[in-house]
């Protein structure tokens, strides 16, 4: 009994670490932690903004319709690369859904995943999302290539990348809403 009293904190930390490695408990814990540390994304300084020149990118929506990213040129576009198994992606999705609900008529939202259709359907049904989800049929434009999930870009009508954010963020913020207005 004395050992437990002396090592109580260590036992709790050990239990917490073990829980992180069990998928049924680890994912919700990681999602919770990511939500705690998700802040509004930073806007790129005007002099640091890159411009998207190449819009050639074939995508397929969940209805099976093939869409060329070129069709979105000249509009405000939010592109989010995500996965159903990614805790930071899961953490930011509710804020993405809230933003989409309010701005789907003012901007184009493109949520790109490489997950299989069954995983996507299960994910959106469980969480009651109605986001426009696409699967890439060709490589993304070079400017939008990244190696981390989630990665999100907010592009204005002229192709300037206003926000380039890797990791979870609070997308339903006043800052992002002002950019979409």
């Amino acid at each position: 009994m004395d050992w437990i009293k002396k090592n109580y904190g260590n036992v709790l930390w050990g239990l917490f670490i073990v829980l992180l490695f069990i998928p049924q408990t680890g994912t919700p814990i990681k999602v919770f932690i990511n939500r705690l540390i998700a802040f509004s994304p930073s806007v790129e300084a005007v002099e640091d903004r890159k411009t998207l020149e190449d819009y050639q990118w074939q995508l397929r929506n969940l209805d099976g319709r093939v869409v060329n990213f070129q069709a979105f040129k000249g509009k405000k576009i939010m592109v989010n690369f995500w996965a159903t198994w990614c805790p930071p992606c899961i953490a930011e999705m509710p804020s993405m859904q809230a933003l989409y609900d309010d701005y789907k008529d003012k901007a184009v939202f493109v949520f790109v995943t490489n997950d299989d259709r069954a995983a996507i359907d299960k994910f959106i049904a469980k969480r009651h999302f109605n986001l426009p989800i696409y699967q890439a049929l060709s490589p993304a434009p070079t400017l939008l290539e990244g190696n981390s999930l989630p990665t999100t870009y907010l592009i204005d009508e002229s192709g300037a990348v206003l926000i380039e954010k890797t990791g979870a963020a609070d997308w339903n913020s006043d800052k992002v809403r002002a950019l979409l207005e």
Side-chain angles (χ1 to χ4, degrees):
M1 193 65 156
D2 285 338
W3 184 87
I4 292 176
K5 286 182 181 178
K6 289 180 183 176
N7 295 297
Y8 179 73
N10 291 338
V11 169
L12 284 178
W13 272 112
L15 179 61
F16 178 75
I17 290 169
V18 167
L19 289 174
L20 284 175
F21 288 102
I22 300 170
Q24 292 81 0
T25 57
T27 299
I29 292 169
K30 292 172 190 171
V31 168
F32 175 75
I33 291 169
N34 273 281
R35 282 195 183 137
L36 285 178
I37 61 173
F39 298 103
S40 182
S42 299
V43 178
E44 297 287 329
V46 174
E47 61 274 5
D48 295 335
R49 290 182 184 165
K50 301 170 193 161
T51 301
L52 182 64
E53 303 289 340
D54 176 18
Y55 284 79
Q56 291 304 315
W57 187 21
Q58 295 293 315
L59 303 163
R60 180 179 52 231
N61 69 12
L62 294 183
D63 294 330
R65 186 172 59 99
V66 175
V67 177
N68 189 325
F69 193 68
Q70 178 76 31
F72 306 139
K73 188 174 184 177
K75 299 176 183 177
K76 291 177 188 165
I77 310 167
M78 178 170 277
V79 179
N80 175 262
F81 293 93
W82 68 284
T84 59
W85 48 264
C86 165
C89 303
I90 298 167
E92 73 177 2
M93 279 295 176
S95 70
M96 291 282 203
Q97 181 67 57
L99 190 68
Y100 173 73
D101 289 343
D102 291 344
Y103 288 89
K104 61 186 168 200
D105 296 330
K106 295 182 180 183
V108 175
F109 290 80
V110 181
F111 293 88
V112 183
T113 182
N114 289 328
D115 290 350
D116 65 59
R117 180 61 191 265
I120 297 168
D121 289 343
K122 182 179 175 184
F123 180 85
I124 60 176
K126 179 179 179 183
R127 291 166 178 81
H128 308 290
F129 291 146
N130 65 340
L131 301 166
I133 297 172
Y134 297 86
Q135 293 173 307
L137 298 176
S138 65
T142 304
L143 188 61
L144 303 181
E145 288 178 345
N147 295 323
S148 299
L149 295 176
T151 299
T152 305
Y153 302 89
L154 181 58
I155 304 162
D156 73 6
E157 298 89 341
S158 67
V161 178
L162 304 177
I163 296 175
E164 179 178 343
K165 171 70 173 132
T166 299
D170 176 14
W171 292 97
N172 191 27
S173 66
D174 291 339
K175 186 188 312 182
V176 175
R177 287 174 168 272
L179 289 172
L180 290 174
E181 282 298 329

